[in-house]
Amino acid sequence: MKARVFSGVQPSGNLHIGNYLGALKSWVKIQYDYECIYCIVDLHAITVPQEPAELRKKIRETAALFLASGIDPKHSIVMVQSSVPEHAELSWMLTCVTPVGWLQRMTQFKAKSEAQETVGDGLLQYPVLMAADILLYQAAIVPVGDDQSQHLELTRDVAQRFNSLYGETFVVPETHLPTVGARIMGLDDPEAKMSKSAPGSGHAIALLDPPDVIRKKIMRATTDSKPAVEFGALGAGVQNLLGIFQAFSEWSDDQMQSHFDGMRYGDLKKQVAQMVVEKLAPLQQRYREITEEAGYIDGVLAEGAARVEPIARSTVNLVKQRMGLYTQS
Ligand code: TYM
């Protein structure tokens, strides 16, 4: 039997090249080597305020972007978190074995809670729900970008703690990070991670940005006071642009260095923009085709939920038995 893979994306804001290079691109690459479940995590999205009509739209848009990126729904499972109630059910059970101190230490919790006037309890529980997503399917591998590493460590800790309290129950998952593109930074601020929620039109390249917008954003990207690329002393902005090019092109380090060393920043930016435009064109074309077909996405999502439901039910039943909760004998 093939090992199982699970990963997810929040349907909040516009998916950007960081999401693609950090996660979706690896998902596509490994999909025939494993049994893959790719999830639109709408329950995670509501840990901060969302406009309901907008959220509803973004869930389908995110699913369409999974498929447009190359996820094959005949093979991989594409599903929405809230359509399988066992995610929330297992999350509660895991909450009861997770020390609150582990959650308060999470850097994303600290950053996100600082930005909110009132902090919903969901924001604190967020990583437990994420652990539930993964453990529910006994996933062995979780392909994510670098910003999720701490949450994955917590998932492993929760699985190990549960296993030691109640006996071997969960597979302890491995984190799978891409070698290049695990952490794409903002174009306007190369010290900050590229993020769906960051304001500013020059910050992120959305997967559906038209070519002229992509070019404009890259030409305006922050670099430094030097005129040209110097591989021995790369500033954060230039390093980020080179990282974007390398992740899309899959060039080796040697190829990158011999091609770009000494190149003036203006030319570097033109070449990065051209690479991004070329690589996103087929994705954008597929997106248009997928979304033209009424009802197609809903069909894929319904089938995905039906395919995972038996796995989810069997894990929750096992956990209920282990913890002594009521089950009909
Ligand atoms: P989310 O929606 O913030 O991001 C989705 C994926 O994109 C990656 N990513 C990045 N990679 C490189 N550079 C960036 N600037 C960048 N920004 C985002 C993320 O690492 C992620 O892989 N909590 C998760 C969603 C989630 C999940 C899960 C993931 C919920 N349950 C279970 C894996 C397994 C999140 O908010 O991702």
Side-chain angles (χ1 to χ4, degrees), residues 7 13 26 38 83 91 138 155 173 201 219 248 267 287 309 314:
S7 198
S26 320
Y38 297 131
S83 63
S91 182
Q138 307 287 8
T155 299
S201 59
M219 294 312 289
F248 273 113
D267 292 329
Y287 181 85
E309 183 57 42
S314 109

Side-chain angles (χ1 to χ4, degrees), residues 6-12 16-23 27 41 44 81 108 112 126 129-130 133-134 142-148 151-152 181-185 193-196:
F6 182 94
S7 198
V9 172
Q10 288 192 67
S12 49
H16 52 67
I17 57 169
N19 300 125
Y20 178 76
L21 297 173
W27 298 7
V41 292
H44 277 105
Q81 187 183 33
Q108 285 208 359
K112 283 192 186 172
Y126 182 113
L129 178 59
M130 192 163 152
D133 295 340
I134 297 163
V142 184
V144 284
D146 178 59
D147 63 331
Q148 297 301 317
H151 289 157
L152 260 297
R183 192 173 186 83
I184 301 295
M185 310 307 279
K193 179 191 76 169
M194 186 177 282
S195 139
K196 291 190 215 100

Side-chain angles (χ1 to χ4, degrees), residues 186-206:
L187 294 178
D188 57 345
D189 176 6
E191 303 297 331
K193 179 191 76 169
M194 186 177 282
S195 139
K196 291 190 215 100
S197 51
S201 59
H203 172 77
I205 295 177

Side-chain angles (χ1 to χ4, degrees), residues 26-271:
S26 320
W27 298 7
V28 172
K29 244 190 196 154
I30 62 175
Q31 67 180 330
Y32 298 109
D33 299 329
Y34 301 98
E35 182 191 334
C36 298
I37 304 172
Y38 297 131
C39 187
I40 295 124
V41 292
D42 54 350
L43 294 173
H44 277 105
I46 59 166
T47 55
V48 296
Q50 300 289 341
E51 211 280 297
E54 184 64 13
L55 180 60
R56 214 169 282 129
K57 198 176 102 202
K58 287 285 173 200
I59 291 169
R60 290 185 176 82
E61 184 180 306
T62 305
L65 282 169
F66 284 11
L67 304 185
S69 300
I71 302 295
D72 171 4
K74 296 225 172 3
H75 187 79
S76 302
I77 296 175
V78 177
M79 42 92 51
V80 179
Q81 187 183 33
S82 68
S83 63
V84 178
E86 285 85 354
H87 286 254
E89 203 177 350
L90 181 61
S91 182
W92 174 252
M93 295 165 193
L94 297 180
T95 293
C96 296
V97 301
T98 307
V100 73
W102 290 5
L103 301 174
Q104 284 162 333
R105 277 202 294 275
M106 294 289 111
T107 51
Q108 285 208 359
F109 169 68
K110 287 192 222 162
K112 283 192 186 172
S113 55
E114 269 165 22
Q116 303 292 320
E117 229 168 81
T118 44
V119 178
D121 189 25
L123 212 49
L124 184 66
Q125 306 304 327
Y126 182 113
V128 184
L129 178 59
M130 192 163 152
D133 295 340
I134 297 163
L135 303 182
L136 187 58
Y137 301 110
Q138 307 287 8
I141 295 167
V142 184
V144 284
D146 178 59
D147 63 331
Q148 297 301 317
S149 296
Q150 196 188 31
H151 289 157
L152 260 297
E153 269 316 304
L154 184 108
T155 299
R156 293 166 54 81
D157 290 344
V158 170
Q160 272 154 353
R161 185 172 165 88
F162 192 99
N163 288 349
S164 71
L165 287 171
Y166 295 105
E168 280 305 309
T169 306
F170 293 119
V171 171
V172 180
E174 298 290 335
T175 309
H176 181 122
L177 297 180
T179 41
V180 186
R183 192 173 186 83
I184 301 295
M185 310 307 279
L187 294 178
D188 57 345
D189 176 6
E191 303 297 331
K193 179 191 76 169
M194 186 177 282
S195 139
K196 291 190 215 100
S197 51
S201 59
H203 172 77
I205 295 177
L207 295 180
L208 296 175
D209 274 349
D212 57 324
V213 174
I214 295 174
R215 287 186 216 279
K216 230 180 258 161
K217 285 180 179 174
I218 292 179
M219 294 312 289
R220 273 202 243 115
T222 303
T223 48
D224 49 56
S225 55
K226 283 190 273 180
V229 180
E230 200 186 317
F231 264 81
L234 291 174
V238 173
Q239 197 159 13
N240 191 39
L241 290 172
L242 289 167
I244 292 170
F245 186 99
Q246 188 174 15
F248 273 113
S249 67
E250 302 189 355
W251 283 13
S252 68
D253 291 348
D254 285 350
Q255 262 177 306
M256 290 295 294
Q257 184 150 351
S258 63
H259 184 78
F260 285 110
D261 207 17
M263 188 181 284
R264 299 190 70 82
Y265 288 164
D267 292 329
L268 163 72
K269 286 177 170 180
K270 275 189 206 145
Q271 296 204 10

